Amino acid sequence: PIEFGRQVPTEILITPDGRTAYVTGLSGGDIYPISTATNTMKKPIRAGQGPGGYDQMAITPNGKTLYDVSFNTKGGGPSYVIPISTATNSPERRIKIQSADVEQLVMNPDGRTVYAIAQSRAGTEIIPIATATNTPEKPVSFGGNAALAITPNGQRLYLVKYSIKTATSGVIPFATATNTPAKQI
């Protein structure tokens, strides 16, 4: 087995070509690249915000850019989405997300947009980020907590929305072309 020492692995993502597995570590925001051909770990990528961070990842369909998000579980955002070149395993300029708690990243199958889902004081926000410029677009807000999935053609996101306070839930279709939600199911 591959040892992580004191780190606690929390997520694994494999590149589209299958050559590298990226594993995140709960204890410090590091990402561990592992060669799938030799099952050996390469030098860790320091991408997180330090102890207490929890990572989520997404990768472009061409496998050139890995996106990592890390936030401080003790609160006090903002969060940052960190693009990482998979050719060099080097972090690029961090993308600042005003919401304190980014919980999930979803990559559009066309590779043009990565969607960050975040919890803010207003509820859930979906923040589209253009991968060509790594620029966040205007967030779309929803009440309650949520999780995302995207259709294979990339035309719709589906937001599973729930509220513990009101004991209600539903699914909201979200048009990616216009970044607008449809009527809740």
Side-chain angles (χ1 to χ4, degrees):
I2 298 169
E3 297 292 330
F4 288 91
R6 301 183 96 179
Q7 298 289 328
V8 178
T10 56
E11 185 177 359
I12 187 166
L13 184 142
I14 299 185
T15 56
D17 64 10
R19 293 181 182 172
T20 306
Y22 288 95
V23 178
T24 58
L26 180 62
S27 302
D30 292 340
I31 300 172
Y32 300 90
I34 298 170
S35 166
T36 58
T38 61
N39 290 330
T40 55
M41 190 173 356
K42 300 174 186 176
K43 181 181 174 186
I45 303 165
R46 181 76 184 137
Q49 292 177 234
Y54 183 79
D55 290 305
Q56 293 288 313
M57 296 182 291
I59 194 164
T60 54
N62 64 12
K64 291 183 178 183
T65 306
L66 174 73
Y67 286 86
D68 175 63
V69 63
S70 185
F71 67 91
N72 191 329
T73 57
K74 296 175 185 182
S79 293
Y80 292 92
V81 174
I82 304 149
I84 298 165
S85 165
T86 59
T88 62
N89 285 333
S90 301
E92 298 173 0
R93 183 184 59 84
R94 300 186 310 170
I95 303 164
K96 187 176 183 178
I97 305 295
Q98 293 299 330
S99 302
D101 184 359
V102 175
E103 295 181 343
Q104 185 181 0
L105 289 176
V106 175
M107 179 62 64
N108 192 308
D110 68 10
R112 295 180 185 165
T113 309
V114 62
Y115 297 91
I117 186 166
Q119 296 301 319
S120 70
R121 291 183 182 163
T124 300
E125 292 181 340
I126 297 176
I127 302 105
I129 300 168
T131 58
T133 60
N134 287 330
T135 304
E137 297 174 15
K138 183 180 176 184
V140 179
S141 296
F142 301 89
N145 297 317
L148 283 180
I150 194 163
T151 57
N153 65 10
Q155 293 179 359
R156 287 206 184 272
L157 285 169
Y158 284 87
L159 176 81
V160 176
K161 178 184 161 190
Y162 58 94
S163 172
I164 295 171
K165 289 180 184 178
T166 62
T168 59
S169 61
V171 175
I172 301 170
F174 183 88
T176 59
T178 58
N179 289 332
T180 55
K183 183 179 177 183
Q184 180 171 314
I185 302 165

